[in-house]
Each structure stands twice: as C-alpha cells, then as structure tokens.
Amino acid sequence: MQYALNSQQMKEADSRMIQQMGIPSLVLMERAALETVAAMKEEGTDLSRALIVCGSGNNGGDGFAIARLLAEEGCRPETVFVGKMESRSPETRQQMEILEHMGIPAGNTWEKEEYSVIIDAVFGIGLSRPVEGHYKEVLEQMNRCRGRKVAVDIPSGISADTGDIMGCAFQADMTVTFAYPKVGLLLYPGKSVAGKVLVRKVGIWNPEFRNREDVCFTLDREDILKRSPLRPEDSHKGTYGKLLLIAGSEGMCGAAYLAAKAAYKAGAGLVRIYTEETNRVILQQLLPEALISTWRQQDGDVPKGLMPLMEWADVICLGSGLGKREIAVNIVRAVLDYGQKPCLIDADGLNILSRFLEDEKEKIAGGDYVFTPHMMEMSRLSGYGVEELKQERLALLREFTEEYRAVCVMKDSRTLVGQKGKPVYISTSGCAAMAKAGSGDVLAGTIAGLMAQHMSGFDAAVLGVYLHGLAGCLAEKEKGSYSVMAGDLPEYAGKIWRELEDAQK
C-alpha cells in the first residue's frame, strides 16, 4: 500500500522533515537529484547531451543539482533558467551559484532542437494557475525538442491535486517523483503525460498519514493476499457466504451470468441468481453451480418469492441487466425496504434508485450499501455533469459519500472508492482492453463475492477493483488490447490469485 498525496500534503511532509526532524532542505534536494540521476541510468537514458530547464522554485534547484551531478560524471549538461531571478528560492540560488563556480552558467534560451534527454524542472507540485505567456512558450519548445523527456517530481503544467492540464504541460516519457506518488500523476489526464512513473525515496516520510482520511492510497500486488478473505481447511460452502444476485431482465441473461461467475471466482460459497423466467434454461446451462430462482416480466408487483430469498441471503447484489420496467422498480424498492443485508447496487439498479435517491437518503445512510456507478450513472445520482465529476472527482466523491454514507465505487479510467470516514482509494490497475460490455457486471459480482465472505463493503470494493483491473491487464498481455472479453476477467483474476499463492509456497 502507498499513500498518494496532493500538493499541500507533500509540502507538509517536506516541512516536517526540515522543521521537526532537522534535515536541511539542501540535503533533501541532493537526495532528489541523486535519485533522479540513478533512475535515469536504471532506465537506460542517454545522459551524454542533457538539457535541463529550471524554474525559480525548489524544483528548479533539483534541476541544477542534477546538472552538477551529470557534469561530475563527464557529461555535458546544458542548463537553462526560465524563471525570475528575484523569485528564486534560497536553495535554487545556492545550486545556481555552485554550478557557476564549476564553470556551467545557466542560459536563458537554447537553440538546439535535439538532445539525448530533456529534463523538466520548471514548476514541480506547486503550480496553482494556468500556464500562459512565456512559460507556455517554454513548455511547447521543450515538447518540440527531440530526445527522451524526463520530468522531475511531476510534469510542469499538471495539477498535483487533480491531474488537470493547466493550460499546457510537458509531455514526459518518464517522471521521477519523490517520497510518495502524487494524486495528479495517477488521475487522467495527468497520467497520460507523465509516462512511466518511478517513486524514489529521498528521506521524506510522515507516519501520521495512516490516520488521515483526507490522504488517498493505492495498492500493490503484495497487498492482495494480505487483504483477501481467509480460507481455512476446516470449512464448507456456508463458510464463504450466500449471495443473492438479482440480475437479468428478459433477454439479459449475460449480465446475470457474468456477475454470478465473477462472484464464484472471487470465492463466494453459494450464489443464487434471481432473474426473469426466460433466462432460466440458458443460465442453468452456462453456470450449473448457481441456484436459479425466477420472476416473470409481465408481473408488475413485487414477486412473492423475493422476500424469503432476501432472508436466506447473507449479501444482496442488485441491478445488472435488471431493466427499468415497473417490476424492476418494485424490486429495487423492496430491497431497500426489506433487504436489511449488506447490498451492492449496480447498473439499472442505480438508474432506478436515482429517481428517488433523495427520498431514501435516511434509509441508505442507515444501511450497508455499496454503489458501483460509472460516470453517467454517477451523474444521475449526484446531479453533477460528467465533466464536472471528472474535473473535481475527489471532492465530489467525498461530498456524495458524506451525504449518503454508502461505499461508492466511481468507475472510470481511474476508478475511485470512497466512504465517509475512510481515505479514498485510487486504483492504479486496469487498461483500455477492459472497455467492453459486461466488465461492470464482472466487477459487481467480484465485489459482492468478497462481501459474501464477510468483508466490509469498503474493503471488498478496494480489493475487488484492484484485482479486476489486474485481471484486465493480464488478459491484455496474453490476448492483446482488442480481443479481451468481459468473460475473460474472472478467469484471469483467478490466475493472479494462483500466482500469488504459488509464490508463497
């Protein structure tokens, strides 16, 4: 697990080391420069003809220190200062003076269009307004240069808080960031211009982050088994929970099949599909392990068989392929009124719920719910436009979970998981190969299958989202980016679990 920080949190961590721990700022700057040079070498970067473009702040100081280290190794770095002399930080001023003593003065412009590497040390994480005028011209000229492009800490022009491009941005092939990943490097569009992101230790850390709900976090592969439900030898199917999956209107058996299969592959002990009658035969053929109960589409009222099924279940998963007819609306209302079990609501379940969400606020806040909306569904639930959600996703996710108390899995190219009182999880797994019909059904089934094994909704959502994304990446690696199907994802999730279990033996 890693914390992901915004600009203010990183400044707090930096200040803690300098003011409380007594580490001089220049020492941290030297560490940053050393780690950047080491990372570039490890990645096979040609450092013989480096252009380092530096700003006035400490990011520029990092750049000048990098230039000095390269010069010491016999390279011929060219340094350019594009900031304002009067605005230089004390550390940057000192790094410039050291370079001048070495006979490497900083210029104000550069003429060549080709270097072995172009190193961006212009702004760093402190950028708070759009890049315009002279700085815009500088970044555009850097982007036009031929050579590998490396950003120091974060590409200039990217918001460290949101990932937004602030007017224009440096287009990096690689970013060497310090101490912690920055939120803006994880979220799009920032991620799309950061290239390969390497997090390097420079002696900055803050143990207080583990107790703060405003600090985001990510997972690593080694976290999967640590967070997975235990499977003791002395157990049976009841040990791993009974899941009621309410899914599939007439002609929509695929959604029910994918979600149920994913729940079983996630380890659920028993899955009962409650679906429209015409789906029975094909579901029994596709997934004989599942129990099947049905309703009829023409029925308008709540089906009589639903109540005992909700009593039987440990967890309810509602909505995949459910449709929006009267019976579907009545089923959603019945689950809200009488379910009284942990419940995941997905897809059509959310679209129906959005019609009367405000009226059910108290009921949802007092229950145990997980919502899994994609951006359009989140727009219906929250009332914000899709573009608003993309631009302020962290703030609006926190606002929504504060109001409704449910776990919210906000699905996008970077999926977020939030709940009141919890830090927001930013998923770093997943790929464009997963952008296929049915992938959301698989995710809903995966999370619900983990919930059935007595995981909390938040923990199940975090693990399910990460595992689902890793499965997509492994499938893409073996099948290519065009040919991955939603039905592949449960199988590849199983492969990841098996690899991790084998590695522990």
Side-chain angles (χ1 to χ4, degrees), residues 6-60:
N6 61 30
S7 58
Q8 182 57 41
Q9 291 158 356
M10 189 63 219
K11 289 173 184 174
E12 289 175 20
D14 194 57
S15 177
R16 174 181 178 273
M17 302 311 297
I18 296 167
Q19 297 180 10
Q20 295 182 32
M21 299 294 106
I23 299 178
S25 179
L26 272 174
V27 171
L28 298 177
M29 186 173 284
E30 289 295 312
R31 286 284 302 272
L34 284 164
E35 289 296 332
T36 302
V37 172
M40 290 191 292
K41 288 180 178 178
E42 290 168 13
E43 293 297 313
T45 306
D46 180 357
L47 301 174
S48 60
R49 292 173 294 110
L51 170 69
I52 304 109
V53 185
C54 305
S56 305
N58 279 355
N59 193 241

Side-chain angles (χ1 to χ4, degrees), residues 439-455:
S439 290
D441 303 320
V442 172
L443 178 60
T446 300
I447 296 172
L450 294 169
M451 291 169 65
Q453 297 168 77
H454 316 294
M455 291 187 76

Side-chain angles (χ1 to χ4, degrees), residues 427-439:
S427 179
T428 54
S429 65
C431 58
M434 301 170 68
K436 295 280 181 72
S439 290

Side-chain angles (χ1 to χ4, degrees), residues 408-433:
C408 185
V409 180
M410 195 159 74
K411 298 183 295 192
D412 199 24
S413 52
R414 272 293 185 253
T415 294
L416 308 180
V417 180
Q419 185 181 25
K420 178 179 169 57
K422 301 278 189 180
V424 171
Y425 168 68
I426 302 177
S427 179
T428 54
S429 65
C431 58

Side-chain angles (χ1 to χ4, degrees), residues 5 29 119 124 132 141 172 177 182-183 187 197 229 272 281 307 335 357 368-369 394 398 447 473 480 483 499-500:
L5 306 189
M29 186 173 284
I119 300 172
E132 299 172 336
Q141 186 179 357
T177 197
K182 311 307 181 292
V183 170
L187 301 179
V197 176
R272 182 184 293 274
V281 174
M307 299 304 174
V335 170
L357 179 63
D368 190 357
Y369 291 93
L394 281 168
R398 287 189 172 109
I447 296 172
C473 293
S483 301
E499 288 174 6
L500 292 169

Side-chain angles (χ1 to χ4, degrees), residues 186-202:
L186 303 179
L187 301 179
Y188 288 94
K191 185 183 183 302
S192 64
V193 302
K196 183 176 183 178
V197 176
L198 303 174
V199 182
R200 306 292 288 215
K201 301 298 182 185
V202 294

Side-chain angles (χ1 to χ4, degrees), residues 300-303 306 325-335 352:
D301 296 330
V302 177
L306 178 58
R325 295 186 182 181
E326 182 183 0
I327 191 168
V329 175
N330 289 334
I331 286 173
V332 172
R333 285 194 174 278
V335 170
I352 291 169

